[in-house]
């Protein structure tokens, strides 16, 4: 009988971002107070589960989300750059039709192809790097469970890929809340289930989150 391995994709908690910047891969964006509580709630959800490996994006907010898990399971955090946020042309800007970057004509050429998308890292490349990390985590925790801390768009694209759905989508339709878990269950190397839950759903979410 093949071994059962579960790879959990954990989105980081809420970020301190009062300016509403699309922070993307910019350094220095830490968890907010609620974000810290979300990270602890996610770690508590794992309780007595059999977590044997822990990976994280190199971004500060992801590492801070991984910290309570590292403490709970006495595990090192392995940084994997492939878990990083998606590249985005609008990084460092405010995004919206009001006073945001959409009003500036020099940005319009980056909006012509939402299927790729034209404003950032191609969805196919994003899916490929995330799939590679999942395989690494699955092998590291074979017969047990692994946690990979990442960001909303990479996790959502991985889920779409795993469920054989089209990769282009409207951002408002992503099912990947703050500190949520997208869990992939494998029998050997065969994916048999994709599950989703929100351990930190009861924690207030501030209005200043802009990015993933």
């Amino acid at each position: 009988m093949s071994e059962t391995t579960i790879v959990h994709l954990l989105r980081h908690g809420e970020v301190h971002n009062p300016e509403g910047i699309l922070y993307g891969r910019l350094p220095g964006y830490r968890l907010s107070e609620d974000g810290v509580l979300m990270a602890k709630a996610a770690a508590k959800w794992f309780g007595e589960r059999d977590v044997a490996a822990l990976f994280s994006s190199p971004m500060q907010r992801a590492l801070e989300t991984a910290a309570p898990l590292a403490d709970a399971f006495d595990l090192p955090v392995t940084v994997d750059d492939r878990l990083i946020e998606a590249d985005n042309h609008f990084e460092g800007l405010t995004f919206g039709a009001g006073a945001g970057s959409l009003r500036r004509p020099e940005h319009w050429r980056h909006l012509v192809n939402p299927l790729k998308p034209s404003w950032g890292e191609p969805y196919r490349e994003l899916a490929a790097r995330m799939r590679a990390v999942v395989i690494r985590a699955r092998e590291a925790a074979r017969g047990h469970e692994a946690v990979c801390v990442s960001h909303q768009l990479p996790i959502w694209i991985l889920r779409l890929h795993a469920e054989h759905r089209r990769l282009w989508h409207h951002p408002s339709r992503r099912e990947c809340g703050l500190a949520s878990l997208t869990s992939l269950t494998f029998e050997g190397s065969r994916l048999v289930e994709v599950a989703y839950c929100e351990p930190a759903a009861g924690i207030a979410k501030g209005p200043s989150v802009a990015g993933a």
Side-chain angles (χ1 to χ4, degrees):
M1 185 176 179
S2 59
E3 294 176 311
T4 299
T5 307
I6 305 176
V7 179
H8 303 276
L9 282 301
L10 171 61
R11 185 186 172 192
H12 62 78
E14 182 187 86
V15 175
H16 179 71
N17 181 23
E19 295 83 15
I21 299 296
L22 186 67
Y23 40 77
R25 296 179 176 180
L26 294 176
Y29 281 87
R30 59 176 174 82
L31 294 182
S32 66
E33 291 184 4
D34 279 347
V36 172
L37 294 177
M38 290 176 182
K40 292 179 179 178
K44 184 178 179 180
W45 180 90
F46 282 94
E48 301 301 318
R49 297 184 73 101
D50 188 18
V51 178
L54 178 58
F55 298 85
S56 177
S57 157
M59 303 311 299
Q60 180 177 345
R61 58 193 182 273
L63 292 169
E64 290 178 353
T65 301
L69 273 165
D71 291 341
F73 290 95
D74 193 24
L75 288 171
V77 179
T78 301
V79 174
D80 193 315
D81 290 343
R82 293 172 296 185
L83 289 167
I84 200 168
E85 174 62 286
D87 189 26
N88 193 310
H89 166 76
F90 294 97
E91 181 178 280
L93 305 174
T94 55
F95 190 80
S101 53
L102 289 185
R103 296 193 64 182
R104 295 162 58 182
E106 64 266 29
H107 296 307
W108 293 350
R109 64 187 176 90
H110 295 282
L111 301 170
V112 296
N113 185 0
L115 306 185
K116 186 178 178 180
S118 52
W119 56 80
E121 183 177 3
Y123 290 144
R124 290 182 183 275
E125 294 179 12
L126 184 49
R129 68 169 164 92
M130 289 296 289
R131 181 176 181 274
V133 178
V134 166
I135 292 173
R136 179 189 184 188
R138 185 189 69 202
E139 295 308 304
R142 184 167 287 275
H144 305 278
E145 301 182 34
V147 181
C148 299
V149 186
S150 188
H151 308 267
Q152 186 190 67
L153 181 56
I155 294 172
W156 181 241
I157 289 296
L158 175 67
R159 179 174 169 183
L160 293 178
H161 173 75
E163 295 179 337
H164 305 289
R165 292 194 271 167
R166 69 188 186 200
L167 300 184
W168 65 270
H169 61 280
H170 193 284
S172 66
R173 297 180 181 177
R174 296 173 188 163
E175 187 180 34
C176 190
L178 290 164
S180 64
L181 286 162
T182 299
S183 302
L184 310 180
T185 300
F186 296 88
E187 294 293 343
S189 59
R190 183 171 65 94
L191 178 65
V192 296
E193 182 182 22
V194 179
Y196 175 79
C197 69
E198 297 188 1
I203 299 173
K205 300 172 180 63
S208 61
V209 178

